[in-house]
């Protein structure tokens, strides 16, 4: 009897599989509801990448143009191929008159970046994070070298060093 | 021969132009051959496009939609690329057989086309052993695939070719038995008469459960016979590169590819003729209107081809031992019992 049972069971499972795929076919053939294809060059202005997409490394700034980067250069040391360079400057605290090192330029060579994410893991103050911008082509290679801290930005008050 | 009135006009005109009747015959045959070649090259291209498009919808994609309206010219562009490509080959290949093999496959596919009744009038070769002719000629294709696997001098090609031999020889048996079941019901081998016998009821309803079993068997066996996905271990990409046509490029590869899709079309037409009444309209609703036969025929064939594609994008590939087990332990015994059952039904006059 198991012979007949195998045949009917087989047919039943095949039909079940076909009903699942057939449902998806009908839905997508008539409405394109579940189609996940992005028609890239056409929707270049509206296409938003998902939150976990690794497009580029960006530095977070608040509305007062303040960032959290203390210039500890942990990211520079963590980077496996020298994508990140950090330039220093000296700022003088007007109240105490003491000089203190602070970040001048956080230079990021996008053209060399492998999107490994080690710099973001290494950052002790969560100053840098992933950006979702995916459209990077330029006609000039030097444009891929970016300065992440915005001009005139300062260290946010209360950031632990 | 084609018996449409427009063709008899051409026949009369040719009789007036050319010296004798035998020349007219040869000219007509060559013309029909060329028309069929062109038509089925286009059919093959369209089927490849349809396959890719339908695969897209099954997999939540869009499929080719860039070249031409709805991407219709995509496969034409692909074919042009293949034509322009160099014909490469292995150094130690058996050159003669290597170049012969694709023609075996494509010619056996094209010869089978001649017996297909597109409508009451459009059929090139209404031979009285039509369905037997189909079974005989379609078996030739396996020689081509076998030669390709052997002569390429490549171990993957050889394994692919050997698997083809196993699979196609096995499943031909099932197709033959399913055809025998329907021949018992119709009482004739001629394609036009098999269709004519279904004028009041299609064969799939005439033979009750027996026809249904034969239909399921022939659907499975045809999928195996055309080497489509649940049974595509001939060219199992993950194991064998591309199987028997690993070493082929350019037009030689295109012949194999085209033959696969034409074979699928032929399998679908045979199923439509045997079970769904060929060019007959359902309940005879369009009997008086000309050319509706071809319309219904193409519609039914398209549905069967869609079923094949549905199988392809649903079921995972079988192992070689599972393929042989399915044929020899399940399909064949069921088929033999089914033939006896159908003979009993016909003998007792229980058919509809």
């Amino acid at each position: 009897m198991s012979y007949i049972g195998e045949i009917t069971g087989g047919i039943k499972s095949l039909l079940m599989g076909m009903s699942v795929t057939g449902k998806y076919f009908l839905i997508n053939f008539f409405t394109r509801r579940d189609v996940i294809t992005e028609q890239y060059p056409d929707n270049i202005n509206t296409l938003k990448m998902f939150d976990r997409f690794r497009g580029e490394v960006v530095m977070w700034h608040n509305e007062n143009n303040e960032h959290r980067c203390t210039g500890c250069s942990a990211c520079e040391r963590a980077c496996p191929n020298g994508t990140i360079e950090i330039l220093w400057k000296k700022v003088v605290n007007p109240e105490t008159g003491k000089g203190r090192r602070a970040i001048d330029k956080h230079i990021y060579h996008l053209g060399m970046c492998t999107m490994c994410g080690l710099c973001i893991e290494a950052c002790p103050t969560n100053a840098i994070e992933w950006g979702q911008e995916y459209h990077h082509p330029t006609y000039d290679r030097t444009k891929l070298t970016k300065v992440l801290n915005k001009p005139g930005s300062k260290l946010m008050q209360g950031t632990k060093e | 021969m084609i018996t449409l009135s427009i063709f008899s006009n051409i026949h009369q005109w040719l009789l007036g132009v050319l010296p004798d009747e035998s020349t007219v015959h040869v000219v007509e045959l060559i013309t029909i051959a060329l028309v069929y070649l062109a038509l089925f090259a286009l059919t093959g291209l369209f089927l490849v496009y349809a396959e890719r498009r339908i695969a897209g919808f099954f997999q939540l994609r869009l499929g080719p939609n860039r070249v031409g309206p709805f991407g219709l010219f995509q496969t034409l562009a692909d074919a042009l690329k293949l034509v322009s490509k160099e014909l490469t080959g292995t150094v130690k290949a058996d050159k003669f057989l290597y170049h012969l093999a694709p023609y075996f496959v494509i010619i056996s596919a094209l010869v089978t086309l001649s017996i297909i009744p597109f409508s009451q009038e459009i059929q090139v070769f209404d031979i009285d052993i039509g369905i037997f002719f189909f079974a005989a000629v379609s078996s030739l294709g396996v020689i081509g695939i076998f030669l390709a696997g052997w002569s390429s001098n490549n171990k993957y090609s050889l394994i692919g070719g050997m698997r083809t031999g196993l699979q196609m020889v096995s499943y031909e048996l099932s197709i033959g038995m399913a055809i025998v079941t329907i021949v018992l019901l119709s009482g004739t081998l001629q394609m036009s008469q098999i269709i004519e016998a279904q004028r009041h009821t299609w064969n799939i309803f005439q033979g009750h459960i027996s026809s249904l079993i034969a239909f399921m068997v022939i659907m499975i066996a045809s999928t195996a016979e055309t080497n489509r996905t649940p049974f595509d271990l001939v060219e199992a990409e993950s194991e064998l590169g591309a199987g028997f046509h690993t070493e082929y490029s350019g037009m030689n590869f295109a012949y194999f590819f085209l033959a696969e899709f034409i074979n699928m079309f032929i399998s679908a037409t045979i199923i439509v003729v045997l079970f769904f009444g060929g060019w007959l309209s359902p309940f005879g609703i369009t009997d008086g209107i000309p050319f509706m036969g071809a319309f219904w025929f193409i519609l039914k064939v398209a549905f069967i081809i869609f079923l094949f594609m549905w199988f392809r994008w649903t079921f995972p590939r079988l192992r070689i031992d599972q393929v042989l087990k399915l044929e020899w332990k399940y399909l064949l015994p069921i088929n033999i019992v089914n033939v006896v059952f159908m003979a009993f039904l016909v003998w007792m006059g229980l058919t509809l």
Side-chain angles (χ1 to χ4, degrees):
Chain A
M1 258 350 255
S2 71
Y3 183 77
I4 306 288
E6 268 176 49
I7 293 169
T8 52
I11 291 172
K12 208 183 289 179
S13 72
L14 290 182
L15 289 179
M16 195 184 288
M18 282 178 72
S19 74
V20 171
T21 52
K23 201 179 71 192
Y24 276 110
F25 173 79
L26 288 178
I27 289 170
N28 292 312
F29 186 74
F30 289 112
T31 69
R32 311 272 195 278
R33 194 190 74 191
D34 294 337
V35 168
I36 55 170
T37 308
E38 298 289 355
Q39 308 206 45
Y40 163 56
D42 293 347
N43 61 359
I44 195 159
N45 295 319
T46 55
L47 181 57
K48 278 270 183 291
M49 278 295 172
F50 46 94
D51 286 347
R52 289 171 65 180
F53 181 71
R54 297 181 171 195
E56 59 177 346
V57 174
V58 295
M59 187 175 285
W60 175 87
H61 286 75
N62 68 0
E63 62 276 11
N64 300 325
N65 203 13
E66 290 173 331
H67 58 76
R68 284 191 294 231
C69 182
T70 60
C72 68
S73 78
C75 48
E76 189 179 7
R77 272 179 272 122
C79 185
N81 58 354
T83 300
I84 294 174
E85 288 176 57
I86 290 176
L87 301 182
W88 301 92
K89 67 180 175 187
K90 199 149 202 166
V91 284
V92 178
N93 193 329
E95 292 171 16
T96 57
K98 278 180 187 171
R100 192 178 126 268
R101 288 211 308 177
I103 187 165
D104 182 21
K105 278 179 181 169
H106 188 294
I107 296 172
Y108 170 57
H109 299 281
L110 177 61
M112 288 160 72
C113 186
T114 61
M115 312 291 164
C116 66
L118 289 176
C119 52
I120 290 165
E121 278 174 38
C123 185
T125 55
N126 293 331
I128 49 176
E129 60 192 13
W130 284 118
Q132 278 75 44
E133 178 59 45
Y134 59 91
H135 189 248
H136 295 305
T138 60
Y139 285 103
D140 186 1
R141 206 154 40 138
T142 57
K143 287 191 180 128
L144 292 175
T145 299
K146 300 182 178 187
V147 177
L148 292 190
N149 54 334
K150 290 180 188 166
S153 60
K154 290 197 305 259
L155 182 64
M156 198 168 89
Q157 289 295 312
T159 308
K160 270 189 199 159
E161 300 214 7
Chain B
M1 292 292 283
I2 296 171
T3 55
L4 225 53
S5 60
I6 178 170
F7 291 106
S8 63
N9 288 344
I10 293 170
H11 183 74
Q12 291 301 324
W13 176 73
L14 278 174
L15 274 178
V17 175
L18 292 167
D20 58 349
E21 199 160 342
S22 60
T23 327
V24 170
H25 235 74
V26 170
V27 167
E28 278 180 345
L29 286 175
I30 289 172
T31 316
I32 288 171
L34 288 178
V35 167
Y36 261 53
L37 265 178
L39 213 62
F40 282 92
L42 284 178
T43 310
L45 287 180
F46 179 74
L47 283 177
V48 175
Y49 163 76
E51 166 100 46
R52 290 174 63 184
R53 195 86 173 139
I54 286 173
F57 292 129
F58 272 120
Q59 298 175 342
L60 313 186
R61 296 185 286 112
L62 287 171
N65 64 348
R66 291 280 145 179
V67 191
F70 303 105
L72 270 169
F73 301 145
Q74 176 72 54
T75 44
L76 198 64
D78 291 348
L80 283 177
K81 187 209 88 176
L82 280 176
V83 171
S84 66
K85 266 177 84 172
E86 182 194 358
L87 290 179
T88 60
T90 42
V91 177
K92 289 186 178 173
D94 189 336
K95 284 279 165 10
F96 177 66
L97 296 181
Y98 179 79
H99 291 293
L100 186 67
Y103 295 96
F104 259 102
V105 178
I106 191 83
I107 287 174
S108 72
L110 289 173
V111 167
T112 323
L113 287 173
S114 63
I115 58 159
I116 290 172
F118 287 97
S119 80
Q120 196 158 15
E121 296 91 14
I122 305 172
Q123 185 178 11
V124 173
F125 191 34
D126 193 13
I127 189 171
D128 55 355
I129 52 163
I131 203 84
F132 182 65
F133 180 86
F134 157 76
V137 173
S138 68
S139 323
L140 278 177
V142 70
I143 298 177
I145 290 175
F146 206 67
L147 283 182
W150 173 258
S151 64
S152 295
N153 202 8
N154 172 329
K155 54 182 178 285
Y156 296 122
S157 299
L158 184 59
I159 294 171
M162 286 294 176
R163 284 183 179 183
T164 319
L166 271 176
Q167 185 182 317
M168 290 178 94
V169 170
S170 303
Y171 279 84
E172 243 150 43
L173 219 57
S174 272
I175 290 188
M177 291 299 263
I179 288 174
V180 165
T181 318
I182 295 307
V183 168
L184 275 173
L185 187 60
S186 315
T188 173
L189 289 165
Q190 195 170 353
M191 302 288 260
S192 55
Q193 288 186 16
I194 289 175
I195 294 171
E196 207 51 55
Q198 304 178 50
R199 195 168 271 284
H200 60 291
T201 323
W202 293 352
N203 271 345
I204 190 140
F205 305 119
Q206 268 195 40
H208 308 294
I209 187 103
S210 193
S211 278
L212 204 64
I213 291 171
F215 171 65
M216 285 166 81
V217 166
I218 204 170
M219 278 304 282
I220 296 169
S222 298
T223 316
E225 189 73 3
T226 49
N227 298 324
R228 289 179 62 75
T229 279
F231 304 96
D232 75 335
L233 60 178
V234 172
E235 48 191 293
E237 290 92 347
S238 48
E239 302 156 28
L240 299 178
F244 65 89
H245 57 60
T246 307
E247 299 293 350
Y248 284 87
S249 72
M251 255 345 256
N252 280 350
F253 166 73
Y255 286 144
F256 281 121
F257 206 65
L258 200 63
E260 188 187 320
F261 280 87
I262 291 180
N263 275 328
M264 183 172 76
F265 181 82
I266 290 167
S267 293
T269 55
I270 294 297
I271 290 168
V272 164
V273 167
L274 287 179
F275 293 94
F276 296 98
W279 38 261
L280 291 170
S281 53
F283 310 111
I285 46 176
T286 59
D287 270 354
I289 309 165
F291 296 111
M292 282 310 270
F295 167 75
W296 285 111
F297 186 80
I298 296 295
L299 198 70
K300 290 168 185 175
V301 168
F303 176 71
I304 298 291
I305 286 175
F306 175 71
L307 271 185
F308 281 139
M309 290 177 178
W310 195 351
F311 288 165
R312 174 162 188 171
W313 300 109
T314 305
F315 302 138
R317 183 189 304 141
L318 274 72
R319 260 192 343 251
I320 185 72
D321 63 312
Q322 290 168 333
V323 168
L324 293 179
K325 189 179 161 194
L326 176 67
E327 163 65 19
W328 294 102
K329 284 188 174 174
Y330 294 97
L331 291 188
L332 195 63
I334 290 170
N335 234 332
I336 291 172
V337 171
N338 193 30
V339 169
V340 175
F341 183 53
M342 180 61 95
F344 176 76
L345 283 180
V346 173
W347 178 45
M348 299 300 283
L350 290 173
T351 55
L352 286 175

